Amino acid sequence: CPAGRLPTSWPRCLAEASSEVARASKMDRPGDVEYHEGLHLGYRNGDLDPAFHFGHGLSYTRFEHSDLQVEQKATMATVTLQVKNVGAVAGAEVVQLYITTLQVPRALKAFARTKTLQPQESCKVTLQLDERALGSFYDPDQGGWVRPLQDREILLEVGASSKDVRLSQKLIT
């Protein structure tokens, strides 16, 4: 059952590619490239509307996501949901979990492929998030990873690609 997903976003035209934007910038030395996007590169850049989004994939069937549950313990979280094959043929789904915080733009933090599901069959998917996945970020001034702030909001989004979000829930750490 095909269930592959794209590891990058595909721009509609070459001018939208980040490498083309960087190439157009004026640099001191030939061959130097400066990327201005920072962490908002690729699928994290909400201003772009690519031809194919990060995580996009095709299937011979359709899937429904439901019953999103989040259990938080200290600096870890367990996310569970139900995935049902609502199409007419067997297939497998790749469930993707993205988080967004004030310090970290939208980022893929976990994913799982279901077993092959027959039509109308469901299965439970479990995704684990550790402290780093829950919003730790690299601080170059401190030279390392910084723990997320306490009492802050994290948006969890679950779907079939970076733009095909089916379920979401806010979490306070």
Side-chain angles (χ1 to χ4, degrees), residues 60-75:
Y60 294 118
T61 192
R62 294 176 299 115
F63 297 93
E64 180 179 275
H65 300 181
S66 64
D67 196 26
L68 180 64
Q69 304 284 324
V70 180
E71 181 182 342
Q72 187 178 358
K73 291 183 181 175
T75 59

Side-chain angles (χ1 to χ4, degrees), residues 24-60:
S25 64
K26 304 230 187 299
M27 299 304 297
D28 294 334
R29 298 181 310 199
D32 281 357
V33 176
E34 182 178 343
Y35 291 92
H36 301 281
E37 302 95 337
L39 292 176
H40 299 279
L41 182 65
Y43 72 92
R44 293 178 170 187
N45 184 347
D47 295 337
L48 294 180
D49 183 27
F52 300 102
H53 295 280
F54 176 86
H56 172 78
L58 299 176
S59 177
Y60 294 118

Side-chain angles (χ1 to χ4, degrees), residues 96-148:
Q96 301 169 37
L97 173 62
Y98 296 86
I99 72 152
T100 302
T101 69
L102 287 176
Q103 294 87 5
V104 180
R106 189 166 207 239
L108 176 68
K109 293 297 180 174
F111 62 92
R113 180 181 170 151
T114 67
K115 66 177 188 150
T116 299
L117 299 173
Q118 297 303 315
Q120 304 308 307
E121 182 181 9
S122 296
C123 75
K124 180 179 178 180
V125 174
T126 301
L127 303 164
Q128 300 291 335
L129 297 172
D130 61 13
E131 179 180 52
R132 196 180 230 179
L134 284 172
S136 292
F137 60 97
Y138 186 81
D139 185 343
D141 295 333
Q142 294 188 31
W145 288 90
V146 177
R147 290 186 63 169

